Amino acid sequence: MRAALFPLDGPLRFLLLSSFLIPLGSFMVLPFMSVFLHERLGMGLATVGVVLAVASLVQFSGGVVGGALADRIGLRRAMLCALLIRTAGFVGLLLALRWPPLAIWALMLTCCGAALYLPANKAYLVHGVEDERRPAFLSAGNAALNAGMAVGPLVAGPFVLSSPGWLFASVTALFVLVTAGHARLPPAAGAPESGARPAGQGLLTGVAALPFAANMLAFYLYFHFQHFLAVYAVERASSTFYSLALLLCFTLVIVVQPLASDLIRRMPYATALAVGFTGLAAGLAVLSLGSRAALLAGGALITLGDIVLFLKNDLEALHRSPRSDAVVFGQQRLAAGLGACASGVLGGQVYDHTAQAGNTGWFWLLAAAQCVLLPPVLLALRERAGKTPHSHDDDEGALRPHGTNGRVPGR
């Protein structure tokens, strides 16, 4: 891992630090938005649910626009534009304490900024990096991201309702500093700071079909856990125990994914899909038991499954697609958003039915069954994709070094 990452130059060190600070600031606010909108601003829960659903869809699926923007104006400028929008969103949340209707628009601005930022951030991080070192850089960025997501709620929890003004002001100041730091970043080495996207290339031109579909399915299944664990766990344990379960999941991503990144890179794609979806199936099935031990064990198994799936799908998409890295990451974010949205809509209906039947354990068993039944559809797609010029029969083995379909690594 150290050999793959180091030596790191100043811009990459700053980018990894930002990958921690940005989710730290965001997760000091965003996880509590439902409470803030309902308790502090007096919005009805139905309205709050619609607002958060739309915000989530924008934050994930808007990544495809972020990738295209980075392709057109350059990675550094795209990140800077995204951070300016996101900072404006946190300023809006601060002003919403005086004018509550502004809160919805401010939340949407923060989500738009997140959608535009992440594809350019990932592309800058791996720009010019050899294929065999890319998993280490991506997993280090993911570890920093999850660390910020884990620490943010712990820092902000006591102040969300008691001192939201100071909290929003602190987060805004943090984003101003991070934005100023990004303004001093050099352009990605060897990449033009701006350029025209080739004519006729739409947002989904060159999409890697199998990694896109696999990512959408993985997020659809994973977000059963993400969306509905809270209500399930709090009923059987407590909100504190739920927080500890999430902390365990974040810690596993932070520790395990960087250590396993090279193994995941060398793993045949079909094997990675099998391992990942098996982990999700086992974890969801264990959750149905409902005990505290089952909540922890199930969360751990699900997290280990998504560690394999999310990283491998990104690597495989980079390998298969002829588009720039930023566009590929944006396309993968679109797949994630579609999967997460479908999980919220369909999973919510199923959870409601199982709750009315008096046994929500069946919800997790039905989700686990989907982990077993749906991936064979991906295998059928894989057989068709294996006949395309870009597949190179790599489904049967690990990614080959420099296997970028003729692209310059990092482009």
Side-chain angles (χ1 to χ4, degrees):
M1 182 69 185
R2 289 180 61 87
L5 275 178
F6 294 100
L8 279 175
D9 58 21
L12 289 182
R13 286 198 299 270
F14 172 77
L15 209 61
L16 286 175
L17 176 62
S18 298
S19 295
F20 168 76
L21 293 176
I22 289 172
L24 171 69
S26 298
F27 273 69
M28 288 171 66
V29 174
L30 298 182
F32 304 102
M33 283 307 298
S34 58
V35 177
F36 177 76
L37 293 174
H38 179 61
E39 298 289 342
R40 185 81 183 193
L41 302 185
M43 293 184 184
L45 286 175
T47 303
V48 169
V50 172
V51 169
L52 295 182
V54 173
S56 297
L57 184 61
V58 168
Q59 182 165 339
F60 275 102
S61 300
V64 72
V65 179
L69 178 68
D71 210 23
R72 186 175 293 276
I73 69 173
L75 302 178
R76 185 189 64 156
R77 289 178 180 174
M79 287 190 291
L80 192 57
C81 176
L83 286 171
L84 289 171
I85 293 172
R86 208 165 188 187
T87 303
F90 285 111
V91 172
L93 288 175
L94 184 59
L95 296 177
L97 294 173
R98 294 294 183 90
W99 190 46
L102 187 61
I104 295 176
W105 300 103
L107 176 61
M108 293 304 167
L109 275 179
T110 64
C111 292
C112 286
L116 297 177
Y117 180 82
L118 194 60
N121 168 275
K122 284 188 170 184
Y124 193 105
L125 193 62
V126 301
H127 184 85
V129 174
E130 299 88 349
D131 277 8
E132 58 268 22
R133 298 179 65 202
R134 284 181 159 208
F137 279 78
L138 286 175
S139 58
N142 289 339
L145 179 76
N146 280 271
M149 291 166 64
V151 174
L154 297 177
V155 172
F159 309 107
V160 170
L161 295 180
S162 61
S163 305
W166 285 106
L167 177 63
F168 292 162
S170 299
V171 172
T172 301
L174 175 63
F175 270 84
V176 168
L177 292 175
V178 172
T179 303
H182 277 69
R184 297 178 60 86
L185 282 175
E193 182 63 355
S194 63
R197 185 178 52 177
Q201 288 197 320
L203 296 178
L204 292 179
T205 300
V207 67
L210 180 55
F212 185 91
N215 213 42
M216 185 164 59
L217 179 58
F219 271 83
Y220 164 71
L221 294 168
Y222 171 73
F223 264 76
H224 283 70
F225 168 76
Q226 187 79 6
H227 284 314
F228 304 109
L229 180 67
V231 62
Y232 184 75
V234 170
E235 286 179 354
R236 288 157 178 76
S238 66
S239 58
T240 300
F241 186 84
Y242 168 66
S243 298
L244 291 174
L246 287 185
L247 186 60
L248 170 65
C249 296
F250 283 129
T251 302
L252 284 174
V253 176
I254 294 166
V255 174
V256 174
Q257 192 176 73
L259 295 175
S261 60
D262 189 58
L263 175 62
I264 295 171
R265 177 187 70 84
R266 291 184 284 107
M267 190 181 295
Y269 190 35
T271 302
L273 292 179
V275 170
F277 284 116
T278 298
L280 289 180
L284 290 165
V286 169
L287 287 179
S288 68
L289 299 176
S291 66
R292 292 189 174 216
L295 293 174
L296 292 177
L301 287 169
I302 291 168
T303 301
L304 293 174
D306 80 58
I307 284 173
V308 176
L309 285 172
F310 296 167
L311 179 58
K312 189 65 174 181
N313 282 329
D314 276 355
L315 293 172
E316 190 72 10
L318 288 170
H319 176 69
R320 288 169 177 254
S321 176
R323 299 296 298 276
S324 70
D325 292 347
V327 170
V328 173
F329 286 128
Q331 291 170 343
Q332 290 297 96
R333 289 287 288 180
L334 172 61
L338 294 174
C341 183
S343 177
V345 174
L346 300 177
Q349 296 295 322
V350 175
Y351 195 92
D352 185 53
H353 284 304
T354 57
Q356 290 181 15
N359 189 356
T360 48
W362 278 103
F363 170 80
W364 304 107
L365 291 175
L366 289 171
Q370 292 180 76
C371 294
V372 176
L373 297 175
L374 294 179
V377 177
L378 290 180
L379 294 180
L381 180 60
R382 166 178 166 261
E383 290 177 359
R384 291 175 55 195
K387 301 175 183 178
T388 65
H390 290 302
S391 68
H392 298 300
D393 296 322
D394 279 338
D395 285 347
E396 301 303 328
L399 292 178
R400 297 172 183 170
H402 309 294
T404 53
N405 299 328
R407 291 185 297 152
V408 177
R411 296 299 297 274

